[in-house]
Amino acid sequence: MTFPSTPDALLAALTPLLAAESRAEAPAAGVEPDDLEQAVLLRLLERIRDDDTPERPADWLRRAVRAEARRARRATAHERSFHGEPAHEPAHDSPAHGSPEHHALHVERRRAVRAAVRRTPGHCPRLLTAMLHPDDPTYREIAGALGISQGSLGPMRSRCLGCLRRMLAAEVPGAGARGKVP
């Protein structure tokens, strides 16, 4: 297959392949297909900007998606839940799901996350609030509401979530006596 030589035409020709490859690789990597797609698209745009357009764009794109998926898998492997905290919410059919304790913990976690979101720097509060919206808006809708390009939304989302993760990790008390008086 021959690819166009102009950057816009090349991007238009590669977009369906990029979307398909990202959807195929994302579940195994534990990331959203849109995040994977935007990370690879950013790498491609950087190459085009540097006049280093791949000789065989489709092959390069497939390799780049797989490399980005491997990077995401490695990053996910290093993330651990906090000691003593459940990694996931109780199942809907479990007895703990409807308990007052579960409801109180759920409300407290939401409050802590919302408070941390408000303290994030720059555009992060608006972006994270839009992403936490109950209507589950698409990237296009969020980008339109915030007045930013859709292509910058994924990297900005990653930076904001990293900042939020660091803020919340700093608020978690270390393992220890926890209120016991010696």
Side-chain angles (χ1 to χ4, degrees):
M1 177 176 192
T2 327
F3 284 94
S5 60
T6 65
D8 291 336
L10 178 64
L11 290 175
L14 289 175
T15 298
L17 176 63
L18 176 57
E21 290 287 330
S22 297
R23 280 193 309 273
E25 293 290 331
V31 296
E32 293 292 320
D34 289 339
D35 292 340
L36 192 57
E37 187 175 339
Q38 287 195 359
V40 174
L41 184 61
L42 182 62
R43 288 176 58 187
L44 179 60
L45 290 172
E46 287 171 345
R47 287 194 70 163
I48 290 173
R49 181 196 66 206
D50 296 338
D51 290 328
D52 186 23
T53 304
E55 187 176 312
R56 298 175 65 193
D59 293 339
W60 178 89
L61 187 82
R62 287 183 186 99
R63 285 191 311 274
V65 168
R66 286 179 182 88
E68 196 63 36
R70 280 191 306 273
R71 186 201 58 75
R73 269 194 301 275
R74 281 192 308 269
T76 303
H78 293 293
E79 293 177 357
R80 289 176 270 137
S81 63
F82 294 112
H83 179 68
E85 289 290 320
H88 301 287
E89 294 293 319
H92 287 289
D93 58 351
S94 76
H97 179 70
S99 70
E101 293 86 5
H102 169 54
H103 179 70
L105 287 173
H106 181 72
V107 168
E108 179 59 23
R109 284 185 187 120
R110 288 180 57 96
R111 186 207 58 76
V113 168
R114 296 268 180 199
V117 164
R118 285 191 298 272
R119 293 191 317 266
T120 55
H123 295 289
C124 290
R126 290 181 54 216
L127 172 65
L128 294 172
T129 300
M131 295 186 79
L132 290 170
H133 196 274
D135 292 341
D136 195 23
T138 64
Y139 268 34
R140 179 173 287 149
E141 293 168 341
I142 293 172
L146 299 179
I148 60 175
S149 72
Q150 188 175 344
S152 64
L153 195 57
M156 183 184 294
R157 173 185 172 266
S158 293
R159 286 190 301 272
C160 292
L161 287 175
C163 180
L164 182 64
R165 187 178 301 116
R166 287 186 300 275
M167 290 173 72
L168 290 172
E171 293 177 3
V172 174
R178 293 195 189 166
K180 294 181 182 176
V181 178

